Amino acid sequence: MKISVELTLTPLHDDYEPAIINFIKKLRASNLNVLENPLSTQVYGDYDEVMQVLTTEIKEAFELIERGLLYMKIVKSDRYEYEPHF
């Protein structure tokens, strides 16, 4: 089953950029399709593979920050090739 996941990592402390950069670089290094924009990061692929990578990388990201939030949306389909029709 293919999924699309939107992630927003929000450390709740100063000097937050290194944690976010590390998280995104780890996702880029995975075998998954990853797209970024200024507000979130999207990850696309097979459910089991995506969730395995996210479980590992979210845990590491949380270990590197004092406090933080992670917003995650999951869509049951691979929306990597999506283009708006308007």
Side-chain angles (χ1 to χ4, degrees), residues 3 5-6 10 12 18 20 34 52 60 84:
I3 63 170
V5 180
E6 181 180 61
T10 308
L12 300 174
I20 294 172
V34 177
Q52 182 179 10
E60 181 178 318

Side-chain angles (χ1 to χ4, degrees), residues 9-14 16 19 61-62 64-70:
L9 176 62
T10 308
L12 300 174
H13 57 82
D14 294 334
Y16 56 87
F62 279 172
L64 295 174
I65 61 177
E66 294 173 43
R67 294 173 306 281
L69 302 169
L70 179 87

Side-chain angles (χ1 to χ4, degrees), residues 2 6 11 13-14 22 24 29 34 42 47 58 65 72 74-75 77 80:
K2 298 292 186 180
E6 181 180 61
H13 57 82
D14 294 334
N22 183 63
I24 292 171
V34 177
Q42 293 85 38
Y47 178 89
I58 290 169
I65 61 177
M72 180 167 54
I74 303 173
V75 177
S77 69
Y80 183 72

Side-chain angles (χ1 to χ4, degrees), residues 33-77:
N33 288 321
V34 177
L35 294 175
E36 303 130 31
N37 65 54
L39 299 176
S40 65
T41 301
Q42 293 85 38
V43 182
Y44 307 88
D46 181 71
Y47 178 89
D48 291 329
E49 187 177 358
V50 170
M51 296 310 285
Q52 182 179 10
V53 168
L54 291 181
T55 297
T56 300
E57 299 311 331
I58 290 169
K59 182 177 181 179
E60 181 178 318
F62 279 172
E63 288 172 345
L64 295 174
I65 61 177
E66 294 173 43
R67 294 173 306 281
L69 302 169
L70 179 87
Y71 298 97
M72 180 167 54
K73 296 182 215 172
I74 303 173
V75 177
K76 184 185 172 190
S77 69

